[in-house]
Amino acid sequence: MATYYEAKDLEKFATMGECASELWEKFMGYYGAVFAEGNLTAREKSLIALAVATAVQCPYCIDSYTQDCLSKGVTEEQMTEAIHVACAIRGGASLVHGVQMKNIVKKLEL
């Protein structure tokens, strides 16, 4: 069954640099620097990346960082817990935006 997102398309990611090579190189340099060992381990960064990928609903990133986490010894239970953290933050962020609705209602009632 064909889907909108095809797993094989992840392999085409580098083609995004074909018409903007200078920008692509800058992005890849930044991307590499972000994921280098620093105050956080590469393992911790991969787990964060998986949680964020889930929150922003990027199937390619979810695929990539699930595999990366597994290769770094992250368990399924740890990945699941990290995804729940991302879900809680995203849910809370959605709920707090309800304050905007309440502000508008209050303003219009005047």
Side-chain angles (χ1 to χ4, degrees):
M1 181 171 122
T3 63
Y4 190 75
Y5 293 107
E6 298 288 340
K8 64 184 178 198
D9 286 343
L10 181 56
E11 299 169 12
K12 300 175 186 174
F13 184 47
T15 65
M16 291 306 300
E18 291 174 354
C19 296
S21 60
E22 184 178 331
L23 293 174
W24 177 256
E25 291 302 320
K26 288 178 181 183
F27 174 77
M28 292 308 293
Y30 172 75
Y31 195 88
V34 165
F35 283 96
E37 291 275 339
N39 292 315
L40 296 172
T41 66
R43 182 181 186 275
E44 291 167 330
K45 290 179 179 188
S46 289
L47 191 54
I48 292 167
L50 175 61
V52 171
T54 303
V56 300
Q57 301 173 323
C58 176
Y60 304 113
C61 299
I62 293 167
D63 182 345
S64 180
Y65 283 102
T66 298
Q67 293 181 54
D68 195 54
C69 281
L70 289 170
S71 76
K72 289 179 168 67
V74 179
T75 66
E76 183 178 357
E77 292 78 12
Q78 290 169 322
M79 289 186 277
T80 301
E81 189 171 331
I83 289 169
H84 276 279
V85 170
C87 179
I89 296 300
R90 185 166 184 169
S94 294
L95 280 173
V96 78
H97 276 83
V99 172
Q100 299 302 315
M101 174 272 301
K102 290 183 167 290
N103 289 342
I104 293 167
V105 168
K106 225 176 204 177
K107 182 179 177 181
L108 294 176
E109 286 177 346
L110 295 176

